[in-house]
Amino acid sequence: MCGIVGYVGRAEAAPILLDGLRRLEYRGYDSAGVAIVTRGHLETRKCAGRIVALASLMTKQPLSGSFGVSHTRWATHGKVTDENAHPHFDASGKLALVHNGVIENYQALKEQLIQGGDTNFRSETDTEVLAHLIGKLYDESCASTVDAPQKKARLLTAVRTALQQVIGTYGIALVHAEVPDFMIGARRGSPLVLGVGKEENFLASDVSAIVAYTRDAVYLNDFDVVALERDKFEISSLAGEIGDYRVSKVEFTAEDIKKGDFRHYMLKEIFEQPNTVRDAMRGRLSLEECTAKLGGLNMTPAQLRDVGRIVLTGCGTALHAGRVGEYLIERLANIPTEVEYASEFRHRNTPITPETLVFAISQSGETADTLGALRESRRKGFRTLGICNNVASTIARESDGGVYMHAGPEIGVAATKSFTSQLVILTLLGLLFGRMRNLSTSEGSRIIEALEALPGQIEEVLNLSDQIKAIARTYADVNGVLFFGRQFNFPIALEGALKMKEITYLFAEGHPSAELKHGVIALVRPDLPSVFIVPDDAVFSKNLNNMEQVKARKGPIIALTSGNGAKQLKNVANEIISVPEAPDCVMPILTVIPLQLLAYHLAVELGRDVDKPRNLAKSVTVE
Ligand code: M6R
């Protein structure tokens, strides 16, 4: 949600900032801008639209200079206009600020500034208010003549003093025309990483923006303030105490975030799933004990045995993974498990018993709602674990332990490979907790065999891509799509509908199959196909009944089945997609992939911007 890139060094800043913004564009793509200090003057280029629009503006009106800040926006306050695009400036026009997050008390702060005589606001944003506040404090502190080191110190003090007045969240980067080769960053609730280079340093919302230049990174903590120059940096607290830091090696390279031969990141990530699923279970299966080994949980066998209840929380796709997890953990381990929207969990008085274990599931590890739920759960004293992909993320760092997905960077806004990795991890948890209780060794080894077979089976599912593309073409002019499934595949119906909505913009809903007759059936008509997820399992015949009900009302049916299912569906379904056989608890990992492909091919057919669908952003760091 909004991407920030800052540079201070010896090279031309503009190409580095633009390159970084392109890599962060998945975080927001309403508008973009750059501010660079050129010979003591602050110059900016910014516009509504994608990075490509900014790049073309900068080709016509280039900027030169070796330090500056840049931003790609996902609008929270104020419309998508050139004026509201970041960077924003203080009243003097000498300070440029980029911001990710929400300043909740910006109206009150603005009032104070206006009462003090500052009326020169050019945008509707909360960010501009912060820029004005910092600029005012800095100008006041420099009323008498000050030298260059004093200017740095005073700018830093102005930032700290302003941020102490802020209610809300921020990741910021700023430069000032009077303070050369100097940049300040700070964070509270929105991610910010410092990239450490040779005679150059970087700031970014996400390491992917800077990994082409350096793989040495310092992940800032909330309330950190960092002052960067070319050859040094200093991290301190809001109160001004010098802080400790650790330089980490970024675990992926610039190569890993390229699209390769794929047309879209989403397609690349769908096709990575044989490997990402393998990586999610690598080294975590014990054939001898027929269980899973998850050392990152940081729990003793006795603590694992005594877990009496599990709460799974997350948002969007991660929440859908949690819904599969609920079925899985209850089936394999017989532990009462609940799934709760992270945004609801933190504001609701959910009764949790002392032996409850809470899992926050998040690909990015930065989702504000999930982070809020994690903090609330920890505040109440519950052991709270993370299931994250981004190892350096706030959720990963703030949880009591957890399990990493190891899926590699996911750039497409629609989550795909992270979902199947989450499902593998939840299966491992079910297996581990099950084997601490009543799950037999033979059941345990059956699950392990099923998990180990997955990468090969996923390859088979991916081979169905052309068949699914043909189906997408057939249904390209529909008005919407319904998705139905039962048991383990009910959450897959929800996930199939979410993928469809996100990238095709078609109306789509997912329901438990049997709910059809309680209302949804009123929607059935010839231009609204129903996708039924009906593997050849214990509830197959019940699903079949529901399909007949749709067929009787002339609703087209796309059936996703397995094993002998295809034969039995011949006369009911218009289209049949068949995936390999697997135990029902593992089946969602196979059934979701055709739905990812269906949404993808339909979106391409409709000419949608698959990797950057409208109104969305990859990582939602505001509430
Ligand atoms: O990074 P997270 O897993 O916490 O993200 C949660 C949701 O924002 C995310 O899954 C969103 O729903 C995706 N765009 C779905 O494809």
Side-chain angles (χ1 to χ4, degrees):
M1 189 123 298
C2 298
I4 289 173
V5 194
Y7 176 77
V8 51
R10 295 196 184 278
E12 278 297 326
I16 295 171
L17 296 176
L18 268 181
D19 181 48
L21 287 185
R22 281 190 198 100
R23 294 181 198 281
L24 290 191
E25 201 174 12
Y26 69 91
R27 298 179 67 90
Y29 32 84
D30 291 340
S31 54
V34 168
I36 289 177
V37 180
T38 310
R39 287 181 292 280
H41 290 288
L42 196 53
E43 293 233 26
T44 187
R45 305 285 179 267
K46 58 180 187 170
C47 58
R50 302 276 166 104
I51 310 295
V52 64
L54 176 67
S56 109
L57 178 65
M58 290 182 68
T59 308
K60 286 182 217 136
Q61 300 167 31
L63 288 182
S64 177
S66 57
F67 79 108
V69 292
S70 63
H71 188 267
T72 178
R73 178 172 187 242
W74 187 88
T76 57
H77 288 70
K79 293 181 283 296
V80 179
T81 59
D82 292 354
E83 293 71 35
N84 287 340
H86 296 216
H88 288 287
F89 303 88
D90 70 339
S92 74
K94 291 183 183 171
L95 178 149
L97 173 84
V98 290
H99 167 225
N100 175 13
V102 178
I103 311 291
E104 289 170 14
N105 60 336
Y106 82 104
Q107 285 290 10
L109 295 173
K110 194 170 183 174
E111 277 309 311
Q112 279 172 29
L113 288 164
I114 291 172
Q115 276 166 21
D118 177 3
T119 51
N120 189 19
F121 291 92
R122 302 173 193 102
S123 79
E124 302 162 304
T125 65
D126 52 343
T127 305
E128 189 183 14
V129 175
L130 181 59
H132 276 234
L133 182 58
I134 297 172
K136 173 177 173 278
L137 292 166
Y138 172 76
D139 290 343
E140 284 169 1
S141 70
C142 290
S144 54
T145 320
V146 284
D147 61 17
Q150 283 171 326
K151 282 184 176 172
K152 287 178 191 166
R154 292 190 186 181
L155 187 57
L156 205 46
T157 305
V159 170
R160 289 199 186 101
T161 312
L163 292 179
Q164 281 163 7
Q165 298 175 41
V166 159
I167 300 172
T169 56
Y170 52 80
I172 57 167
L174 64 95
V175 289
H176 196 293
E178 284 181 0
V179 195
D181 303 316
F182 189 65
M183 176 166 55
I184 297 177
R187 75 158 271 179
R188 181 194 176 188
S190 297
L192 200 62
V193 58
L194 157 69
V196 186
K198 283 206 180 78
E199 294 203 23
E200 56 184 8
N201 287 310
F202 307 79
L203 272 181
S205 309
D206 180 331
V207 276
S208 56
I210 52 176
V211 73
Y213 306 96
T214 177
R215 289 182 64 202
D216 292 328
V218 180
Y219 296 93
L220 299 182
N221 293 312
D222 276 351
F223 305 108
D224 277 351
V225 179
V226 59
L228 297 89
E229 298 181 50
R230 283 175 185 151
D231 47 5
K232 60 178 179 189
F233 62 86
E234 187 174 83
I235 298 174
S236 54
S237 69
L238 263 193
E241 292 137 3
I242 303 302
D244 240 2
Y245 62 85
R246 196 168 68 88
V247 180
S248 325
K249 259 294 166 246
V250 179
E251 59 162 27
F252 59 88
T253 66
E255 253 337 276
D256 295 327
I257 46 178
K258 289 195 175 144
K259 263 202 299 248
D261 293 335
F262 288 93
R263 186 167 167 197
H264 296 101
Y265 278 109
M266 181 181 178
L267 192 62
K268 174 182 180 238
E269 287 155 8
I270 290 174
F271 274 78
E272 279 173 357
Q273 290 177 107
N275 288 332
T276 50
V277 157
R278 198 179 281 117
D279 289 343
M281 60 182 126
R282 192 186 299 283
R284 291 172 170 168
L285 292 172
S286 162
L287 299 181
E288 207 164 286
E289 295 173 16
C290 308
T291 188
K293 287 193 185 300
L294 299 169
L297 299 181
N298 297 333
M299 290 171 75
T300 63
Q303 286 171 327
L304 288 169
R305 185 199 57 211
D306 291 344
V307 170
R309 193 157 164 261
I310 290 179
V311 173
L312 303 169
T313 188
C315 305
T317 289
L319 184 92
H320 295 159
R323 290 200 188 283
V324 179
E326 181 180 20
Y327 284 92
L328 263 163
I329 294 169
E330 292 194 349
R331 162 75 67 82
L332 300 179
N334 202 22
I335 299 176
T337 304
E338 277 150 63
V339 184
E340 182 84 85
Y341 287 102
S343 53
E344 293 297 308
F345 177 86
R346 57 182 302 205
H347 297 295
R348 184 176 158 194
N349 198 13
T350 311
I352 322 188
T353 46
E355 70 286 2
T356 300
L357 187 59
V358 178
F359 282 93
I361 309 173
S362 173
Q363 185 283 128
S364 62
E366 298 292 352
T367 300
D369 289 323
T370 313
L371 183 57
L374 171 118
R375 286 179 175 159
E376 178 64 5
S377 164
R378 293 196 75 212
R379 190 188 65 77
K380 288 181 173 163
F382 294 101
R383 185 185 291 272
T384 311
L385 305 174
I387 299 179
C388 295
N389 193 27
N390 180 356
V391 293
S393 62
T394 314
I395 293 179
R397 285 183 290 154
E398 289 196 14
S399 50
D400 296 309
V403 191
Y404 288 123
M405 299 175 203
H406 298 310
E410 189 179 66
I411 309 287
V413 164
T416 52
K417 62 177 180 174
S418 61
F419 181 69
T420 45
S421 297
Q422 286 157 3
L423 295 190
V424 169
I425 289 166
L426 289 160
T427 315
L428 297 178
L429 285 170
L431 179 61
L432 173 67
F433 285 115
R435 292 285 297 124
M436 299 300 291
R437 291 170 175 72
N438 294 331
L439 195 76
S440 66
T441 48
S442 60
E443 260 304 287
S445 59
R446 196 174 77 93
I447 305 293
I448 291 180
E449 268 171 39
L451 283 169
E452 287 184 324
L454 279 172
Q457 292 180 316
I458 294 173
E459 298 278 6
E460 289 178 49
V461 176
L462 293 172
N463 287 337
L464 302 172
S465 183
D466 283 344
Q467 182 204 351
I468 296 168
K469 187 179 187 174
I471 295 174
R473 288 209 169 122
T474 310
Y475 293 90
D477 56 358
V478 294
N479 283 317
V481 188
L482 298 173
F483 292 80
F484 299 101
R486 279 176 193 250
Q487 299 287 299
F488 288 96
N489 282 298
F490 158 51
I492 300 306
L494 298 177
E495 177 59 9
L498 178 61
K499 291 290 91 90
M500 191 59 80
K501 278 184 266 218
E502 268 189 304
I503 59 168
T504 67
Y505 315 149
L506 285 172
F507 158 84
E509 272 193 359
H511 294 279
S513 310
E515 278 296 297
L516 183 66
K517 55 194 180 294
H518 298 292
V520 194
I521 200 160
L523 297 174
V524 170
R525 49 176 205 247
D527 64 346
L528 194 76
S530 293
V531 176
F532 274 87
I533 307 145
V534 281
D536 189 9
D537 59 13
V539 287
F540 180 85
S541 57
K542 298 215 177 289
N543 271 315
L544 195 55
N545 291 339
N546 302 129
M547 293 166 80
E548 293 285 6
Q549 291 154 7
V550 170
K551 189 177 177 214
R553 286 155 185 90
K554 300 196 170 56
I557 294 176
I558 301 168
L560 179 50
T561 188
S562 67
N564 284 326
K567 274 192 217 139
Q568 300 175 66
L569 294 172
K570 241 185 9 237
N571 300 322
V572 191
N574 302 68
E575 319 286 342
I576 300 175
I577 301 165
S578 204
V579 302
E581 276 296 16
D584 58 359
C585 61
V586 173
M587 188 51 102
I589 298 172
L590 298 177
T591 51
V592 75
I593 295 172
L595 303 187
Q596 297 170 345
L597 286 166
L598 184 64
Y600 172 79
H601 288 305
L602 200 46
V604 171
E605 197 59 34
L606 295 172
R608 306 294 190 231
D609 190 344
V610 172
D611 284 333
K612 298 186 204 81
R614 73 179 176 208
N615 302 341
L616 293 173
K618 179 71 179 163
S619 159
V620 186
T621 53
V622 293
E623 285 178 21

